[in-house]
Amino acid sequence: MNQRERGDVGSFEDICAAAVRTTGLEDFGFADAPGHEEAFRILVDDLGSAEAGLTGVGNYFMRSQVKSALVARQLTQARFAEFPQHADVAIERPIFVVGLPRTGTTALSRLLCADPGHQGLEMWLTEFPQPRPPRETWEQDPIFNAMQAAFQQHHISNPEFMGIHYSDATEPEECWRVLRQTGKSLGFESLAHVPAYSAWLATQGWNDAYERHKQNIQLIGLNDTDRRWVLKNPSHLIAMDALLEVYPDALIVMTQRDPVTSVASACSLSAEATDGHSTTFVGETLGRDQLGHLTRQWDAFWQAREKYDEKQFFDVDYRGFVQDPVGTVGSIYDAFGLTWSQAAQDKVRALDEESRNGPRRPSHTYDLADYGLTEDEVRASFTR
């Protein structure tokens, strides 16, 4: 067994002990959030079950996912104590980009983040939360450099994945990496077959997860209080009530695409990210899992949306966005009454041009049939 394989995931206590050894910190903040500890315990138990079917590589990978969430939680607890003023930071009219996976949420959110007056949630700060240091100092940070080197090695080892979802430590990333500090994250369901955890999660409210999400955003943006937040995560769909309870003036940008394409692409992304990790989370099981998760998110979003002012929402058609990315961004600014400055336009155009070439250029092929699904079945599942 090589260094990146394990005989099992380990127990919750074992993973917590590993996190303590890594950080030297003891406080996970579970005393004030027992529901978060429960979430992690249920998840770890399910990952260790026969239904998850994890291989040696899968055990190593999923253990590392849980451990990194716990490490980030420890670091955040320490930073909350170190910078108590974060609690006073106002988050005003943040933009949340939501939509089914593979509907352009990543590309659109990155264009919105290009505006000098906006800020996004950079990958490395989701893993190691802290007040965002000045950009010119990042390369001097050993943690940042280690993460960036790991991404570069990943792209060399997995060039096909780079065309599916390009990442590096500097890029704005998805909020699920912050939400998973609470043990509540649909991201775990996209990486493993965890039916017991999924069933438990479906019965839970999300307010406590979004309250901690906001605390993290306040902490990370402590040095940039004059910049509007742009945040993105497909899984926000399932928790719109909680999101708007915690961020009542949020601006919601909803991307839409043919669900057949979305589901097939989401299945392909999960399959590529977990290749060799499980004997069960493959083929039709993976397809059924993803279709079930995505339809629940879709239905939950539309049920919640009916309760709120439509002026807080803006819909983006994927085809129109692909044809005119910069124009689409401008339309969002107009809809929400935001200032579409020349500086913002120039930055958005420059990033759009860069994204059409080089490593960020999308390149992804997939087939719904590989996951035991049909087009008619998928379309019938998305009735709204």
Side-chain angles (χ1 to χ4, degrees):
M1 187 174 294
N2 66 40
Q3 291 182 338
R4 294 188 175 274
E5 292 187 33
R6 283 184 57 92
D8 56 41
V9 172
S11 68
F12 171 72
E13 286 80 8
D14 175 43
I15 301 174
C16 284
V20 170
R21 289 194 297 272
T22 296
T23 64
L25 301 171
E26 297 282 347
D27 184 16
F28 290 95
F30 287 139
D32 297 323
H36 298 175
E37 179 177 347
E38 180 186 15
F40 278 111
R41 287 185 178 277
I42 292 172
L43 173 63
V44 172
D45 285 347
D46 211 9
L47 288 171
S49 72
E51 287 196 85
L54 295 183
T55 64
V57 173
N59 285 325
Y60 179 92
F61 177 80
M62 291 309 301
R63 177 187 171 89
S64 72
Q65 290 292 308
V66 175
K67 179 187 170 185
S68 65
L70 291 169
V71 165
R73 186 178 178 95
Q74 287 178 301
L75 294 173
T76 300
Q77 289 298 121
R79 297 298 190 182
F80 286 166
E82 184 179 357
F83 300 99
Q85 65 270 34
H86 80 276
D88 298 323
V89 173
I91 308 295
E92 297 179 353
R93 300 188 79 201
I95 299 173
F96 283 83
V97 180
V98 304
L100 291 176
R102 320 308 297 166
T103 58
T105 54
T106 297
L108 180 56
S109 64
R110 287 175 178 170
L111 290 180
L112 288 165
C113 286
D115 184 336
H118 290 170
Q119 59 181 312
L121 189 61
E122 292 88 356
M123 171 70 85
W124 79 290
L125 295 175
T126 68
E127 297 282 356
F128 297 93
Q130 60 183 293
R132 185 185 295 107
R135 178 62 184 86
E136 62 272 15
T137 68
W138 292 5
E139 280 74 12
Q140 301 165 26
D141 188 301
I143 292 175
F144 171 84
N145 286 326
M147 286 191 66
Q148 191 70 308
F151 280 118
Q152 291 169 355
Q153 182 57 49
H154 180 264
H155 292 322
I156 292 171
S157 304
N158 303 275
E160 68 287 342
F161 194 83
M162 183 164 57
I164 299 175
H165 186 78
Y166 180 85
S167 297
D168 77 21
T170 69
E171 295 280 358
E173 248 308 321
E174 296 183 344
C175 299
W176 71 266
R177 292 178 178 274
V178 172
L179 287 170
R180 70 177 182 168
Q181 288 186 20
T182 67
K184 295 180 177 180
S185 172
L186 303 190
F188 294 122
E189 297 177 315
S190 295
L191 297 171
H193 180 56
V194 282
Y197 172 75
S198 294
W200 175 84
L201 191 59
T203 68
Q204 301 301 301
W206 287 86
N207 283 51
D208 59 339
Y210 279 85
E211 287 166 359
R212 188 175 181 91
H213 177 283
K214 183 178 179 180
Q215 289 179 292
N216 271 274
I217 296 307
Q218 291 172 306
L219 174 71
I220 293 169
L222 184 59
N223 297 329
D224 299 283
T225 57
D226 58 337
R227 298 165 63 198
R228 184 190 311 278
W229 274 100
V230 176
L231 299 158
K232 169 255 178 175
N233 195 21
S235 72
H236 290 318
L237 290 172
I238 206 166
M240 195 52 51
D241 283 324
L243 189 156
L244 287 170
E245 176 70 25
V246 175
Y247 299 98
D249 61 351
L251 308 174
I252 311 299
V253 179
M254 168 68 164
T255 58
Q256 299 193 41
R257 186 183 188 183
D258 179 359
V260 168
T261 305
S262 296
V263 172
S265 185
C267 288
S268 176
L269 177 62
S270 286
E272 189 65 42
T274 61
D275 184 31
H277 291 188
S278 172
T279 58
T280 58
F281 193 60
V282 293
E284 185 172 354
T285 297
L286 187 155
R288 296 291 164 194
D289 279 2
Q290 292 305 297
L291 180 61
H293 300 329
L294 295 175
T295 52
R296 283 193 293 275
Q297 293 174 49
W298 180 259
D299 290 341
F301 171 78
W302 288 106
Q303 290 171 17
R305 179 167 171 169
E306 296 170 354
K307 307 172 190 176
Y308 303 99
D309 187 347
E310 268 297 306
K311 292 180 181 178
Q312 285 185 259
F313 295 83
F314 185 83
D315 296 296
V316 171
D317 178 74
Y318 178 81
R319 293 165 297 180
F321 172 56
V322 170
Q323 292 171 0
D324 185 8
V326 178
T328 298
V329 173
S331 296
I332 294 169
Y333 278 66
D334 290 343
F336 292 140
L338 308 179
T339 301
W340 188 216
S341 67
Q342 190 61 53
Q345 294 179 50
D346 291 345
K347 290 289 188 179
V348 170
R349 285 196 181 92
L351 182 58
D352 176 52
E353 182 61 30
E354 180 185 353
S355 69
R356 295 172 184 271
N357 303 283
R360 289 175 176 79
R361 181 175 59 83
S363 176
H364 190 193
T365 58
Y366 36 81
D367 187 344
L368 197 63
D370 291 340
Y371 309 101
L373 302 173
T374 67
E375 292 189 12
D376 288 345
E377 180 182 16
V378 171
R379 288 204 170 92
S381 299
F382 294 87
T383 55
R384 287 177 178 261

